[in-house]
Each structure stands twice: as C-alpha cells, then as structure tokens.
Amino acid sequence: MDDKTVRLSGISIKNFRGIKEANIQGFSDINVFIGRNGAGKSTLLEAIYLASAFVNEKDPLTSELRINVITKRRTDREARVDKAILWYSLNTQYPIQLVLFFTDGKKIDLECPYQQTLPDRIWIDIDKIYEKIRDIPSGYTHFNYSSAQLLNINTNTYINVPRLRNAFFRVFKKEIEFLNNVIIIDEKILRHPEVLEQKIWLKILAKRLDKKIIEIMRKSYEKDAEDLSYVPMSGTYCLVLKLPHTVVRVDDLGDGARNAVLLTAYLLLVKNTIVLIEDPEIHQHPGGLFSILEFISEVAKSNDLQVFMTTHSLELIRLIKKIAEEKKIGLRIFFLERENGIVHARIIESVDLDIIQDLGIDPRFLDLF
Amino acid sequence: MRQLKPYEESFTVMARDLTKKFDCIILCEGKSDAEILKILNRRLNLQLGDNVAVTHAEGIKNLLELAKYISALARISRRLKLIGILIDLDNETPSNRFQRIKNSLNAVELDLVNVNILSSQLYNGLLKLDDRSLDIKIALAGLMDLPFQKHMIEDYVVKAAIINGTISKSLLSKHSDAKTLLSAQSISINEFLTKVGIDVLKKSFAHLITMLEETKRVI
C-alpha cells in the first residue's frame, strides 16, 4: 500500500440485522472472519457494503441500488421485501449506525434512518462533519454524498447541493475513492453469469483480462481450456469456455469452475477498493481453492484491494495463511461470536494460529474457550 | 475432563455440542502427561468435568516455547478462568524452575503477579492481561527424593511401582531417569496406572492430585 491509498482499519455497527452492536478494529490487507453460524460474519460484510452506499448508491457490477442488493441478498423470493428487515429486531425507531475508521486516522459516521416516504439512502449526520465542512444550509440534518442531497429528517424534505459534495470530496478524497467501487461476491452473484456477460465482459475483453481467467482455469479446473468467448446460443448470447473439441457455457461448467471464472473476472476489474467475498470455499476442491486464494492475494496486491472474506473452512484458513506469508501480504483472522446481539471479535495472529492448532484447538471453535 | 488431542476425536465432540464451554485448560509437556492426568481423574473420581480441557505440547523444547503457548492461550481466550501448566522439573530445583518459567513469561510480555506457593512444587498466580486477569497454576512434576539426574512425571509412576512391589528400590541408581527405568522394566505406564490400587495412586501422585483438586476449586 502506498501513500496514495487508504484502508479500512475498523468498523462500528449498531442496529443492523442481527447486530445490536459491534466494534471491530485492526483490519489488514486480507481479513478472514470465522465463527459459528449466526455469529455475524456475513452481516459484517453487508455492513461494509451498505456503508459504501453513502459514496456510491449503485453496485458497480450490477448497477442495482446497494440497499436493494442487501435487502434481497439472502432470499430468492420475488415478492417485495420491506427494508425493515435490515433493522435489528425490526426496530426501525432507531437508525442503523455505521462508523468507518480509516488508516489515515479519519472516520466517517453514517446512519440510515427508517423513512417510508424517502429514497433509501445512507446519510451522514451534519453535526459529525460540521467542523470539517462549512457553509452548510441551516435547517438540514443529514447529507448523502452519492446523491449530493441534504435531508431535513424532521420535515422529511431534501435539497440537492452539488457544491457540498465537492467540499466533502476535498476533505475525504481518499476515502471516497476507496469506497466508490466496493463489491460483494456471494453465491447469488456467482449463480448468474449474465451479470458478467451483459455488464462486465466488454471491459474484461478491452483490457484482455480474459487471458488471466484462462490461466486460472488451466491451473485447477480445465487444463485444456483455450479461450472464453461470447457466442449466440438459444436465441441469446452466452459466455462459453472453449475446449479443444467443444465449447461449454459458463453456466454449465462445474460449480467450482463457474465460480472461479466469475470471481476472477470481478476481481480483475476493480482497483483501490474493498472486495467482500462470502465463503469462497464453496464448491471448491482444495486445489481449486488454493488457485483462487493465490489469485485473490496477487490481485489484492496488484490492484490495491482490501479483501474481507467469511469462511467455515479450516483448509481456507491454512492456505491463506501460507499464501499471505509467501506473498508478504498482511493477513488477519477474526473469530466472531454474537451474544444478545453484541458481536465480540478476537484477533488470531498467524503465530497464535499455529500454536492453538498444535494444542488441538480448532480455531473455528474458539467460542468454547 | 476433555482431551483436545487427538484432534479427530475432540473435533466431533465439539461439533456436536454448541453449549459446552471450557473454564480451564491444562497444558502438559507431552502426551503421556495428559494421559496420566486423565487416568488419575477417572480412577480417583476427582470429577473434573467437561469444562476442563487437557492438551499437550508434544514435548516442549524450552521454556520460551512454553511461554509462547501460554501467551497464545491467554490472548485468544475469552472464557478461560484458569490455565494449568504441568511441566517436568528436569534437572532443576523447584524454585529455579519456577523462576525461569516466570522469566520466560516476562520475555513474551506476560506479567505473573500475586504468586502463592501452594506446596514446594505447586505455584499459583495471576496473569495480567490488557482487559482482565487469568488464574494460572504451575505444577512442577518430579520427585526430588528419587536419585535421578532428571525429574519428570514418570517419577510418580516409579514411586507407585515401588510401593506396589512391582520394582525394587535397588534399580533406582541404575538409571538416569524414571522413563528409562520404566522402559527397561517393560512397564506400560497407562496399563500400570489403570490397574494399581487407589491407595497407591493417592500416595504416589499426591502432588498432582492437589493440583487437580485446586483446579476444580477455582472453576
């Protein structure tokens, strides 16, 4: 990481999904969250993703509103979901609060009040930025960078103030650039190659990043993979993997191979931002997992990415530790547990990981100690 | 008392039960030490339950390594009330051995305070951490009155075997340590301890029994 880049050093969360309160500090270049089911691992990823909606309310991969992505992420139901499900205990009386801490000492205090009549936005309380940004029109209580809007929460009215956006950018330039392209990669997006096909593929091809994807395919999935191509099939166009004697739609590859194609493509496109990856071990043979983790580490370095992953896999923990040591990239493992809505995090340093495993303690069961 | 190794066995137990928490972990030098503690707990009905974990370091090379293990356990635990350490005296006196352990803990930035000497080879103290304190009990294994060059947990087994009549006192001077003696006599430690009388166990292992009873008292 050079002087031009900034990183997330910590996050504080209140009233979001199953998290009443959480304060987690000490983030590194690659961060792995482990813990029992329901510990808050995925919610932590979503909190970071949601906070980035303050800067850019649309997902850079799908162009969908980030708040909608979060609201619909965990379900395949078609029916409209009330965003109240994002509030802890559905208690919309209090706002969701997210505080982002950065490695340059700055912090951004965000909140999302439940407002039935207004667009879903992430706001910053004016009081929190008043010292840094002047000439804010009076009577307004909150500011959203993405839409350049000031909100009066008491009257439910808002105005557009582009100059305030510029002022905010001058103060928080690095942080805004860093949060602008935050992406979340989960099983949902990995089941839909059409996102890659329709929105991303041209960008991949324009930079010939497809060669890198083929490299990964040959390493651990299809050793004879020749190329990726976009061909007409069944009345539409699909991405296919070219093999010596046939072509296979990316949809029809094995789940592990398909996930590898999509994950590598998405990671190659983003720079100087945060990548959130949920359980990358799903459908992966250890060989494939190693290739993916090695790729993630390499691109994290080359593209200035800060990576946050959740996992239940001891193999992933062992492999990423080895890879991080070899590639000299910072790694931190956080064990999470949640009690009465409060999330506690324990940092497991690399040296501690070796020791506790020597003693017969599985780091995924740290809640027993 | 739950043994954390072999991993495959303890993994299944831990995966099965979400509610079991450990209040204490006893760290032994080697596998045989952990086995001996388990046998004592079972045969003497000490009733150290599922909230006590026993593990071993597969032979600690030096005290700094021991200190690193203790440091890791202290740092990553939230629920532990007590760490028990069982380590051989080797060729040192108890006070020297304990002082070197204390120095090793200091070397890894762990402060051992409020030290009590519960008996000549059993020490109690508090590890001061950033956010809390953790009880620690250090038991130094070995019987100084046996004429060995190095003292270890197997000393107690030799004592039991002498009381029991399984081996003669005259053999003591022929071996440098208890492990060698027991091996030369083809005595399987686990088998012997499982069969020997309860009174013999109590007389021979009084020191370790005190440690286990103290552990139970704290948790």
Side-chain angles (χ1 to χ4, degrees), chain B residues 102-137:
Chain B
K102 195 165 183 282
N103 293 346
S104 300
L105 289 171
N106 285 344
V108 296
E109 295 176 15
L110 274 181
D111 218 358
L112 181 60
V113 297
N114 297 6
V115 175
N116 288 330
I117 304 173
L118 297 174
S119 72
S120 65
Q121 287 169 227
L122 185 59
Y123 297 81
N124 187 58
L126 269 183
L127 285 175
K128 296 281 281 173
L129 308 169
D130 288 337
D131 53 345
R132 62 195 176 111
S133 299
L134 190 52
D135 260 306
I136 183 166
K137 288 200 193 303

Short mmCIF file of all heavy atoms in Angstrom, two decimals, chain B residues 102-137:
data_model
loop_
_atom_site.label_atom_id
_atom_site.label_comp_id
_atom_site.label_asym_id
_atom_site.label_seq_id
_atom_site.Cartn_x
_atom_site.Cartn_y
_atom_site.Cartn_z
N LYS B 102 8.83 -17.96 35.10
CA LYS B 102 8.38 -16.58 35.28
C LYS B 102 9.14 -15.65 34.33
O LYS B 102 8.56 -14.77 33.71
CB LYS B 102 8.61 -16.18 36.74
CG LYS B 102 7.89 -14.94 37.20
CD LYS B 102 7.88 -14.86 38.72
CE LYS B 102 7.09 -13.65 39.19
NZ LYS B 102 7.77 -12.38 39.11
N ASN B 103 10.45 -15.86 34.23
CA ASN B 103 11.26 -15.04 33.32
C ASN B 103 10.83 -15.22 31.87
O ASN B 103 10.79 -14.28 31.09
CB ASN B 103 12.75 -15.39 33.46
CG ASN B 103 13.31 -14.99 34.82
OD1 ASN B 103 12.69 -14.23 35.57
ND2 ASN B 103 14.48 -15.53 35.15
N SER B 104 10.50 -16.44 31.52
CA SER B 104 10.06 -16.72 30.14
C SER B 104 8.74 -16.03 29.85
O SER B 104 8.53 -15.52 28.74
CB SER B 104 9.90 -18.22 29.91
OG SER B 104 11.11 -18.88 30.14
N LEU B 105 7.87 -16.00 30.84
CA LEU B 105 6.59 -15.31 30.65
C LEU B 105 6.84 -13.81 30.46
O LEU B 105 6.23 -13.16 29.62
CB LEU B 105 5.66 -15.56 31.84
CG LEU B 105 5.10 -16.98 31.96
CD1 LEU B 105 4.37 -17.18 33.28
CD2 LEU B 105 4.15 -17.30 30.80
N ASN B 106 7.77 -13.26 31.24
CA ASN B 106 8.11 -11.85 31.07
C ASN B 106 8.65 -11.57 29.67
O ASN B 106 8.37 -10.53 29.08
CB ASN B 106 9.18 -11.42 32.10
CG ASN B 106 8.57 -11.25 33.47
OD1 ASN B 106 7.35 -11.17 33.62
ND2 ASN B 106 9.40 -11.24 34.51
N ALA B 107 9.41 -12.53 29.15
CA ALA B 107 10.01 -12.36 27.82
C ALA B 107 8.96 -12.26 26.72
O ALA B 107 9.21 -11.67 25.67
CB ALA B 107 10.96 -13.53 27.52
N VAL B 108 7.77 -12.83 26.97
CA VAL B 108 6.68 -12.70 25.98
C VAL B 108 5.65 -11.67 26.47
O VAL B 108 4.49 -11.71 26.09
CB VAL B 108 6.00 -14.06 25.67
CG1 VAL B 108 6.98 -15.00 25.01
CG2 VAL B 108 5.37 -14.69 26.88
N GLU B 109 6.12 -10.79 27.36
CA GLU B 109 5.31 -9.66 27.84
C GLU B 109 4.08 -10.10 28.62
O GLU B 109 3.02 -9.50 28.52
CB GLU B 109 4.91 -8.75 26.67
CG GLU B 109 6.12 -8.08 26.04
CD GLU B 109 5.77 -7.25 24.82
OE1 GLU B 109 4.58 -6.96 24.60
OE2 GLU B 109 6.70 -6.92 24.07
N LEU B 110 4.25 -11.16 29.37
CA LEU B 110 3.19 -11.59 30.28
C LEU B 110 3.68 -11.37 31.71
O LEU B 110 4.75 -11.86 32.08
CB LEU B 110 2.84 -13.07 30.07
CG LEU B 110 1.82 -13.39 28.99
CD1 LEU B 110 1.57 -14.89 28.94
CD2 LEU B 110 0.49 -12.67 29.22
N ASP B 111 2.86 -10.69 32.48
CA ASP B 111 3.21 -10.38 33.86
C ASP B 111 2.56 -11.39 34.79
O ASP B 111 1.33 -11.51 34.82
CB ASP B 111 2.63 -8.99 34.14
CG ASP B 111 3.56 -8.19 34.99
OD1 ASP B 111 4.62 -8.71 35.40
OD2 ASP B 111 3.21 -7.03 35.27
N LEU B 112 3.37 -12.13 35.56
CA LEU B 112 2.82 -13.08 36.52
C LEU B 112 2.90 -12.45 37.91
O LEU B 112 4.00 -12.18 38.41
CB LEU B 112 3.62 -14.39 36.48
CG LEU B 112 3.16 -15.50 37.41
CD1 LEU B 112 1.74 -15.93 37.12
CD2 LEU B 112 4.08 -16.72 37.32
N VAL B 113 1.74 -12.20 38.49
CA VAL B 113 1.71 -11.50 39.78
C VAL B 113 0.96 -12.33 40.81
O VAL B 113 0.40 -13.38 40.49
CB VAL B 113 1.04 -10.11 39.64
CG1 VAL B 113 1.84 -9.23 38.69
CG2 VAL B 113 -0.40 -10.23 39.18
N ASN B 114 0.96 -11.82 42.05
CA ASN B 114 0.25 -12.47 43.17
C ASN B 114 0.60 -13.95 43.28
O ASN B 114 -0.27 -14.80 43.41
CB ASN B 114 -1.28 -12.35 42.99
CG ASN B 114 -1.75 -10.92 43.02
OD1 ASN B 114 -0.96 -9.99 43.07
ND2 ASN B 114 -3.06 -10.73 43.00
N VAL B 115 1.88 -14.22 43.26
CA VAL B 115 2.31 -15.62 43.28
C VAL B 115 2.18 -16.20 44.70
O VAL B 115 2.64 -15.60 45.66
CB VAL B 115 3.78 -15.74 42.81
CG1 VAL B 115 4.27 -17.18 42.95
CG2 VAL B 115 3.89 -15.29 41.35
N ASN B 116 1.52 -17.35 44.77
CA ASN B 116 1.44 -18.11 46.04
C ASN B 116 2.11 -19.45 45.83
O ASN B 116 1.95 -20.06 44.78
CB ASN B 116 -0.03 -18.42 46.40
CG ASN B 116 -0.77 -17.22 46.86
OD1 ASN B 116 -0.19 -16.32 47.45
ND2 ASN B 116 -2.06 -17.21 46.59
N ILE B 117 2.84 -19.88 46.86
CA ILE B 117 3.41 -21.23 46.77
C ILE B 117 2.48 -22.15 47.53
O ILE B 117 2.41 -22.10 48.77
CB ILE B 117 4.83 -21.27 47.37
CG1 ILE B 117 5.70 -20.22 46.65
CG2 ILE B 117 5.44 -22.65 47.23
CD1 ILE B 117 7.08 -20.03 47.25
N LEU B 118 1.73 -22.94 46.80
CA LEU B 118 0.73 -23.81 47.44
C LEU B 118 1.41 -25.03 48.09
O LEU B 118 0.96 -25.54 49.10
CB LEU B 118 -0.29 -24.27 46.41
CG LEU B 118 -1.13 -23.12 45.78
CD1 LEU B 118 -2.01 -23.65 44.66
CD2 LEU B 118 -2.00 -22.46 46.84
N SER B 119 2.48 -25.49 47.43
CA SER B 119 3.32 -26.53 48.02
C SER B 119 4.68 -26.37 47.37
O SER B 119 4.85 -25.48 46.53
CB SER B 119 2.74 -27.93 47.76
OG SER B 119 2.91 -28.25 46.40
N SER B 120 5.64 -27.23 47.70
CA SER B 120 7.01 -27.00 47.20
C SER B 120 7.07 -27.03 45.67
O SER B 120 7.97 -26.44 45.08
CB SER B 120 7.97 -28.04 47.76
OG SER B 120 7.60 -29.32 47.28
N GLN B 121 6.11 -27.67 45.02
CA GLN B 121 6.18 -27.76 43.57
C GLN B 121 4.89 -27.31 42.89
O GLN B 121 4.64 -27.64 41.74
CB GLN B 121 6.52 -29.22 43.16
CG GLN B 121 7.96 -29.58 43.46
CD GLN B 121 8.22 -31.07 43.32
OE1 GLN B 121 8.85 -31.68 44.19
NE2 GLN B 121 7.77 -31.69 42.26
N LEU B 122 4.10 -26.57 43.62
CA LEU B 122 2.82 -26.11 43.04
C LEU B 122 2.66 -24.62 43.31
O LEU B 122 2.65 -24.19 44.45
CB LEU B 122 1.66 -26.90 43.65
CG LEU B 122 0.27 -26.64 43.08
CD1 LEU B 122 0.21 -26.91 41.59
CD2 LEU B 122 -0.77 -27.49 43.80
N TYR B 123 2.59 -23.85 42.23
CA TYR B 123 2.53 -22.40 42.33
C TYR B 123 1.23 -21.89 41.74
O TYR B 123 0.73 -22.42 40.75
CB TYR B 123 3.69 -21.77 41.56
CG TYR B 123 5.05 -22.13 42.11
CD1 TYR B 123 5.65 -23.34 41.79
CD2 TYR B 123 5.73 -21.25 42.95
CE1 TYR B 123 6.88 -23.68 42.29
CE2 TYR B 123 6.97 -21.58 43.46
CZ TYR B 123 7.55 -22.80 43.12
OH TYR B 123 8.77 -23.15 43.63
N ASN B 124 0.76 -20.83 42.35
CA ASN B 124 -0.47 -20.20 41.89
C ASN B 124 -0.18 -18.73 41.61
O ASN B 124 0.61 -18.11 42.32
CB ASN B 124 -1.51 -20.29 43.01
CG ASN B 124 -2.87 -19.82 42.54
OD1 ASN B 124 -3.41 -20.34 41.60
ND2 ASN B 124 -3.40 -18.79 43.19
N GLY B 125 -0.77 -18.18 40.56
CA GLY B 125 -0.54 -16.77 40.28
C GLY B 125 -1.61 -16.20 39.37
O GLY B 125 -2.57 -16.89 39.01
N LEU B 126 -1.42 -14.93 39.03
CA LEU B 126 -2.35 -14.27 38.12
C LEU B 126 -1.57 -13.74 36.92
O LEU B 126 -0.53 -13.10 37.10
CB LEU B 126 -2.99 -13.06 38.81
CG LEU B 126 -4.29 -13.23 39.58
CD1 LEU B 126 -4.76 -11.90 40.12
CD2 LEU B 126 -5.37 -13.84 38.71
N LEU B 127 -2.10 -13.99 35.75
CA LEU B 127 -1.52 -13.39 34.55
C LEU B 127 -2.27 -12.10 34.27
O LEU B 127 -3.49 -12.11 34.13
CB LEU B 127 -1.68 -14.31 33.35
CG LEU B 127 -0.78 -15.54 33.28
CD1 LEU B 127 -1.16 -16.42 32.09
CD2 LEU B 127 0.68 -15.14 33.17
N LYS B 128 -1.55 -10.98 34.25
CA LYS B 128 -2.20 -9.70 33.98
C LYS B 128 -2.25 -9.47 32.48
O LYS B 128 -1.24 -9.38 31.82
CB LYS B 128 -1.39 -8.56 34.64
CG LYS B 128 -1.32 -8.62 36.15
CD LYS B 128 -2.55 -8.11 36.83
CE LYS B 128 -2.58 -6.60 36.87
NZ LYS B 128 -3.87 -6.12 37.39
N LEU B 129 -3.48 -9.36 31.98
CA LEU B 129 -3.67 -9.08 30.55
C LEU B 129 -4.24 -7.67 30.42
O LEU B 129 -4.57 -7.05 31.42
CB LEU B 129 -4.64 -10.10 29.95
CG LEU B 129 -4.27 -11.56 30.22
CD1 LEU B 129 -5.41 -12.49 29.82
CD2 LEU B 129 -3.02 -11.94 29.48
N ASP B 130 -4.39 -7.20 29.19
CA ASP B 130 -4.87 -5.83 28.98
C ASP B 130 -6.24 -5.59 29.59
O ASP B 130 -6.50 -4.56 30.19
CB ASP B 130 -4.97 -5.52 27.47
CG ASP B 130 -3.59 -5.38 26.87
OD1 ASP B 130 -2.65 -5.07 27.63
OD2 ASP B 130 -3.45 -5.59 25.65
N ASP B 131 -7.12 -6.57 29.39
CA ASP B 131 -8.51 -6.33 29.76
C ASP B 131 -8.97 -7.18 30.95
O ASP B 131 -10.10 -7.05 31.41
CB ASP B 131 -9.43 -6.62 28.55
CG ASP B 131 -9.18 -8.01 27.97
OD1 ASP B 131 -8.14 -8.62 28.30
OD2 ASP B 131 -10.02 -8.47 27.18
N ARG B 132 -8.13 -8.07 31.45
CA ARG B 132 -8.55 -8.93 32.56
C ARG B 132 -7.35 -9.63 33.17
O ARG B 132 -6.22 -9.43 32.72
CB ARG B 132 -9.55 -9.98 32.05
CG ARG B 132 -8.96 -10.89 31.02
CD ARG B 132 -10.02 -11.68 30.26
NE ARG B 132 -9.33 -12.46 29.24
CZ ARG B 132 -9.21 -13.79 29.25
NH1 ARG B 132 -9.76 -14.50 30.20
NH2 ARG B 132 -8.56 -14.42 28.30
N SER B 133 -7.62 -10.46 34.19
CA SER B 133 -6.57 -11.31 34.76
C SER B 133 -6.98 -12.75 34.61
O SER B 133 -8.18 -13.06 34.57
CB SER B 133 -6.39 -11.00 36.25
OG SER B 133 -6.03 -9.67 36.42
N LEU B 134 -6.01 -13.60 34.55
CA LEU B 134 -6.28 -15.02 34.35
C LEU B 134 -5.51 -15.81 35.39
O LEU B 134 -4.30 -15.62 35.57
CB LEU B 134 -5.81 -15.39 32.94
CG LEU B 134 -6.15 -16.72 32.32
CD1 LEU B 134 -7.63 -17.02 32.38
CD2 LEU B 134 -5.71 -16.72 30.86
N ASP B 135 -6.21 -16.71 36.08
CA ASP B 135 -5.55 -17.56 37.07
C ASP B 135 -4.62 -18.54 36.36
O ASP B 135 -4.97 -19.08 35.29
CB ASP B 135 -6.60 -18.41 37.82
CG ASP B 135 -6.92 -17.82 39.17
OD1 ASP B 135 -5.96 -17.61 39.95
OD2 ASP B 135 -8.10 -17.57 39.44
N ILE B 136 -3.48 -18.79 36.97
CA ILE B 136 -2.58 -19.80 36.41
C ILE B 136 -2.03 -20.65 37.54
O ILE B 136 -1.72 -20.13 38.63
CB ILE B 136 -1.45 -19.15 35.56
CG1 ILE B 136 -0.57 -20.24 34.92
CG2 ILE B 136 -0.61 -18.18 36.36
CD1 ILE B 136 0.34 -19.71 33.82
N LYS B 137 -2.00 -21.96 37.33
CA LYS B 137 -1.39 -22.87 38.30
C LYS B 137 -0.28 -23.62 37.59
O LYS B 137 -0.48 -24.15 36.50
CB LYS B 137 -2.43 -23.87 38.83
CG LYS B 137 -3.41 -23.21 39.74
CD LYS B 137 -4.12 -24.19 40.64
CE LYS B 137 -5.30 -23.50 41.30
NZ LYS B 137 -4.97 -22.31 42.08
#
